[in-house]
Amino acid sequence: MKPFRDMRLAEAFRIQLAAPDDFEGWRDAARRMVRADVPPDRVTWESPADQGADLFAHGDRRLPSPPDDAPQPRVSRDFLQLAQSVILHSDSTRFLLLYRTLWRLQSRPRLMEDKADPDVRAMEDLARQVRRDIHKMRAFVRFRSVENEEGEHYVAWFEPEHHILRANAGFFVRRFTTMRWSILTPRGTLHWDGEALQEGPPATRADAPSGDPVEALWRKYYASIFNPARLKVGAMLKEMPRKYWKNMPEAALIPELIAGAQAREAQMVKAGEQDFGERPQSLGAIGEAILGCRRCEIGCNGTRAVMGEGPASAALMIVGEQPGDTEEEQGRPFVGPAGRLLRSHLEEAGISDERTYVTNAVKHFKFVPRGKRRLHQNPTAKEIDICRWWLDGERALVQPRLILALGASAARSLLGKTVSVQKVRGEPHLLDDGSELWITTHPSYLLRLQDHGRAEEEDKFANDLRRVADRLSELSGAV
């Protein structure tokens, strides 16, 4: 008789799981296959079709009989946690991927620590897509009210990309415990009557209601809270892809709201413009005045305001975001790590301190305490707009021919709107007073990068400063 190990080489096994998300069934079968020493290429895994799967289907399984003394499979906690997400994916090869990884774990117990391994990377990628789909379902399910013989019932239609329906059931039960609701999808349905959860067969879009009276109120509310000053269309589409819009009543408003966002932002900035009275007539007077400014929450946090510094007739004005911890302690702008990096690059570009005025869009240091440390916190658009009155005063007195904005906050303080630094950097923008605005990244951004892409970004920053230096030479004949 041939040894058991030789006999299994000629035999292939077909494993049919009860459902596309049947983790328990896959785990039991996989354990048995590993104990029987069946390699991945001798196993075919099947489950009900991903589209239109019957959640209650049961299939026959043809499994080998492992020897009584066969050891139990070795498996890491990381693998089990990841596998429970991977199995929810709609990729038909997921079962094979999981079994192949489990098989390899028997000879490489620390395989999951190798993030460069193709199978580990593939598992993490599938799990990430599943987690994203779960998040999207929780964010974009919209219930509509319908009446039946039992009273009010709420019905939602959603089209998941993966087999996440049952995995998400607990969330909706906890979130909407007191409601009677149904979630319909092409992969199956969930029904909660306030006491028990039931599963049902797949549904179609026609099975779901098209709208209810509450939606008009919801659309009005959504339009009222839509903030054009914080609109980043690319980021919005990444978080809320267009394919979900058809099931969301507020989505019909989005194109119009986007189209009018810039005009509304300008109206918001104008409405928020501050009038502090008569503007100080010298830089020294502005410095004195900002010490007592309490027009926003940052001015009330107990920190010392930091005035700009440099020659009153500087050809170049550099505007940062706000003073940092070191700047607030010393009462001078750009003396911390970011400032030292900036001054190093300015010197390299041939831009001298003698003709440069440096200041910030916001004059007080905004921070959150962490023990004895004070961690930088970005100012809000409103705080930037309020402090713009002081910056405009500095500009009116210095009258620079060229202004360099470091980062998005500084750019907003000069343009009155939020822009993408990466899209507008390295090119001139004409301001109302005739000066030129150039925009680049803030040096603190470079410091945060550390070794991850810092060299490339620092080269871009240095190139921006060289272009500013060249333009200064063109405008004034000397830097």
Side-chain angles (χ1 to χ4, degrees):
M1 178 181 292
K2 293 184 179 180
F4 180 83
R5 187 175 182 85
D6 292 336
M7 288 179 65
R8 58 91 177 154
L9 290 175
E11 197 167 6
F13 296 90
R14 176 176 170 270
I15 309 298
Q16 186 173 359
L17 301 175
D21 59 351
D22 184 11
F23 179 75
E24 297 298 328
W26 175 87
R27 183 175 61 180
D28 291 345
R31 282 176 172 172
R32 190 163 181 172
M33 303 295 282
V34 169
R35 292 188 67 223
D37 204 19
V38 179
D41 61 356
R42 307 303 298 171
V43 186
T44 299
W45 299 89
E46 297 178 354
S47 75
D50 287 354
Q51 293 294 331
D54 183 350
L55 294 176
F56 304 105
H58 291 280
D60 296 329
R61 299 174 184 171
R62 183 169 174 268
L63 298 174
S65 298
D68 294 338
D69 60 350
Q72 291 296 327
R74 292 180 294 185
V75 63
S76 67
R77 181 180 299 177
D78 288 345
F79 173 81
L80 281 177
Q81 290 178 342
L82 208 56
Q84 291 179 67
S85 292
V86 171
I87 209 159
L88 303 180
H89 203 279
S90 56
D91 189 329
S92 61
T93 66
R94 64 192 182 280
F95 304 113
L96 174 59
L97 170 65
L98 290 174
Y99 184 65
R100 183 171 62 239
T101 308
L102 176 64
W103 173 267
R104 295 177 61 205
L105 276 168
Q106 308 316 300
S107 58
R108 290 185 59 189
R110 303 185 67 175
L111 173 64
M112 299 305 295
E113 298 176 17
D114 183 1
K115 302 304 181 183
D117 182 83
D119 286 341
V120 175
R121 287 207 317 272
M123 283 185 63
E124 290 182 340
D125 187 48
L126 295 186
R128 183 165 50 251
Q129 294 175 43
V130 165
R131 289 193 299 269
R132 182 175 176 81
D133 203 28
I134 287 174
H135 167 72
K136 296 305 180 190
M137 182 174 178
R138 295 178 180 182
F140 300 141
V141 157
R142 294 291 184 269
F143 287 104
R144 292 176 165 93
S145 176
V146 297
E147 290 287 337
N148 57 28
E149 62 274 9
E150 297 179 6
E152 194 172 39
H153 193 90
Y154 292 88
V155 181
W157 170 257
F158 188 74
E159 300 173 37
E161 295 183 1
H162 307 296
H163 306 291
I164 61 170
L165 185 60
R166 281 194 284 213
N168 248 344
F171 169 84
F172 287 98
V173 169
R174 292 188 299 272
R175 184 76 177 270
F176 304 106
T177 305
T178 59
M179 288 170 42
R180 293 171 55 253
W181 52 261
S182 297
I183 298 178
L184 314 181
T185 83
R187 298 179 184 273
T189 55
L190 295 174
H191 307 277
W192 172 254
D193 62 6
E195 295 181 359
L197 181 71
Q198 294 183 332
E199 298 174 357
T204 66
R205 182 67 182 86
D207 297 323
S210 58
D212 64 26
V214 177
E215 289 190 4
L217 180 62
W218 169 242
R219 285 194 294 268
K220 184 176 180 180
Y221 170 73
Y222 181 79
S224 71
I225 65 170
F226 188 85
N227 187 350
R230 302 186 66 181
L231 175 62
K232 293 184 178 179
V233 177
M236 184 191 73
L237 290 175
K238 182 178 179 181
E239 290 303 314
M240 188 170 65
R242 292 183 186 275
K243 65 182 178 181
Y244 297 111
W245 290 18
K246 60 181 179 293
N247 300 322
M248 300 167 60
E250 69 272 27
L253 303 174
I254 293 177
E256 181 181 350
L257 291 172
I258 290 176
Q262 210 167 71
R264 290 183 63 201
E265 181 180 13
Q267 291 174 2
M268 290 170 61
V269 171
K270 185 173 180 61
E273 286 179 351
Q274 301 294 313
D275 182 4
F276 294 179
E278 186 178 350
R279 198 185 301 277
Q281 298 302 305
S282 70
L283 294 174
I286 291 179
E288 289 289 331
I290 64 173
L291 293 175
C293 181
R294 301 294 183 267
R295 297 280 178 152
C296 73
E297 292 185 5
I298 310 179
C300 302
N301 67 5
T303 58
R304 173 173 52 172
V306 178
M307 179 60 181
E309 68 176 28
S313 59
L316 171 65
M317 175 181 282
I318 297 178
V319 182
E321 180 188 72
Q322 65 174 343
D325 183 78
T326 305
E327 286 80 4
E328 194 272 336
E329 288 180 351
Q330 297 187 25
R332 296 182 58 207
F334 290 100
V335 292
R340 290 193 292 272
L341 180 61
L342 170 66
R343 293 178 189 277
S344 171
H345 277 282
L346 289 174
E347 183 178 355
E348 214 172 285
I351 300 175
S352 64
D353 289 343
E354 287 74 17
R355 302 201 64 190
T356 303
Y357 183 91
V358 292
T359 189
N360 283 294
V362 174
K363 306 306 182 187
H364 285 83
F365 174 38
K366 185 176 183 179
F367 67 93
V368 288
R370 288 291 184 271
K372 294 183 179 181
R373 300 176 61 202
R374 300 186 299 177
L375 300 184
H376 163 276
Q377 189 176 31
N378 292 330
T380 65
K382 181 179 179 181
E383 290 160 348
I384 295 169
D385 294 342
I386 290 174
C387 217
R388 185 181 182 186
W389 197 81
W390 299 115
L391 180 63
D392 285 348
E394 291 177 283
R395 288 175 56 197
L397 292 167
V398 176
Q399 296 183 351
R401 304 194 66 179
L402 193 151
I403 302 176
L404 175 63
L406 305 176
S409 295
R412 180 184 176 86
S413 71
L414 293 153
L415 294 172
K417 63 181 181 180
T418 303
V419 296
S420 168
V421 172
Q422 297 298 339
K423 289 182 179 179
V424 300
R425 68 186 300 175
E427 58 185 47
H429 305 266
L430 189 64
L431 299 178
D432 292 341
D433 62 358
S435 61
E436 279 188 14
L437 171 65
W438 291 64
I439 301 171
T440 187
T441 53
H442 197 288
S444 62
Y445 165 71
L446 303 177
L447 294 177
R448 289 195 299 271
L449 290 176
Q450 298 179 349
D451 295 332
H452 303 291
R454 175 169 171 176
E456 180 181 353
E457 286 299 320
E458 199 158 347
D459 284 344
K460 292 180 183 178
F461 182 71
N463 184 58
D464 288 345
L465 294 191
R466 283 193 293 269
R467 295 189 66 185
V468 167
D470 292 341
R471 183 57 179 153
L472 275 173
S473 295
E474 294 174 7
L475 291 173
S476 59
V479 180

